[in-house]
């Protein structure tokens, strides 16, 4: 069997070296990130996110799956306070999950995570009222606005679609 012809030839690797990129600070208060892939059309967001101690994100409902790997620090869901996620922890979340992300105030330093999210987070306030929808497009807008304020031009992978009819 012969190797297939390459469908998408690349002259370079699609690689983001976070050790060479500038961290976008306070995309949300206490939330710093490196966008890696923001695919608005397919609802995929891949991020390296660093959280400050004491950060609590809004309670949210996931429309798709999440893969979250903790590289350093510690965090947990408010709903599962005894199930701490620490360095080396991998968490899979099925679509339909509802929870509240929290980094303990007692953490010494930043909590460093890598996440692959399909779909959106539907965010709610403490009383269960709808706040907003966080998806790849929203993340991109927030990250770019914070980066612009900081004089950063982030490098990330952004699939570029060119929708058209197969026959005109």
């Amino acid at each position: 069997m012969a190797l297939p012809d390459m469908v998408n030839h690349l002259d370079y690797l699609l690689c983001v070296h976070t050790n060479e990129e500038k961290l976008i600070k306070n995309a949300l208060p206490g939330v710093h990130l490196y966008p890696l892939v923001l695919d608005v059309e397919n609802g995929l967001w891949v991020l390296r996110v660093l959280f400050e101690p004491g950060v609590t994100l809004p309670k949210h409902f996931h429309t798709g799956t999440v893969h979250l790997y903790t590289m350093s620090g510690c965090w947990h869901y408010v709903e599962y306070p005894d199930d701490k996620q620490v360095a080396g922890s991998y968490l899979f979340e099925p679509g339909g999950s509802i929870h509240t992300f929290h980094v303990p105030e007692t953490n010494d330093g930043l909590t460093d995570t890598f996440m692959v999210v399909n779909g959106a987070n539907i965010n709610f306030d403490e009383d269960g009222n709808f706040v907003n929808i966080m998806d790849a497009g929203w993340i991109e807008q927030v990250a770019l606005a914070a980066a612009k304020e900081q004089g950063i031009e982030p490098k990330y992978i952004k699939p570029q679609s060119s929708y058209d009819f197969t026959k005109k």
Side-chain angles (χ1 to χ4, degrees):
M1 176 181 229
L3 286 173
D5 290 333
M6 187 174 277
V7 176
N8 290 317
H9 174 75
L10 296 174
D11 293 325
Y12 50 87
L13 293 176
L14 294 170
C15 183
V16 178
H17 297 279
T18 59
N19 58 324
E20 297 172 6
E21 295 298 316
K22 291 187 178 176
L23 179 66
I24 300 172
K25 296 183 179 175
N26 292 305
L28 297 174
V31 179
H32 318 297
L33 61 88
Y34 297 99
L36 303 173
V37 176
L38 295 173
D39 184 348
V40 175
E41 287 84 6
N42 291 297
L44 173 68
W45 28 303
V46 181
L47 308 169
R48 179 177 175 195
V49 183
L50 291 86
F51 297 94
E52 291 183 9
V55 165
T56 301
L57 298 179
K59 179 177 278 193
H60 55 276
F61 168 85
H62 287 282
T63 64
T65 59
V66 176
H67 302 269
L68 200 155
Y69 182 77
T70 304
M71 296 184 286
S72 68
C74 175
W75 66 273
H76 67 274
Y77 288 126
V78 171
E79 297 80 5
Y80 305 95
D82 297 328
D83 197 352
K84 305 269 192 279
Q85 302 297 305
V86 297
S89 297
Y90 163 75
L91 177 69
F92 173 77
E93 301 172 14
S97 300
I98 300 175
H99 40 245
T100 310
F101 180 97
H102 175 71
V103 178
E105 294 81 4
T106 56
N107 266 18
D108 184 25
L110 297 172
T111 294
D112 193 355
T113 64
F114 170 78
M115 62 183 71
V116 178
V117 182
N118 289 288
N121 289 4
I122 312 299
N123 293 326
F124 300 91
D125 66 16
E126 300 80 25
D127 298 322
N129 299 306
F130 172 80
V131 173
N132 67 350
I133 296 174
M134 182 187 303
D135 61 7
W138 188 89
I139 295 282
E140 185 173 40
Q141 289 177 11
V142 168
L144 290 177
K148 184 176 181 180
E149 286 180 9
Q150 296 166 42
I152 298 171
E153 291 186 40
K155 175 183 178 182
Y156 58 95
I157 299 161
K158 180 173 177 62
Q160 301 290 326
S161 65
S162 57
Y163 293 100
D164 203 348
F165 291 106
T166 55
K167 183 178 180 181
K168 290 185 182 183

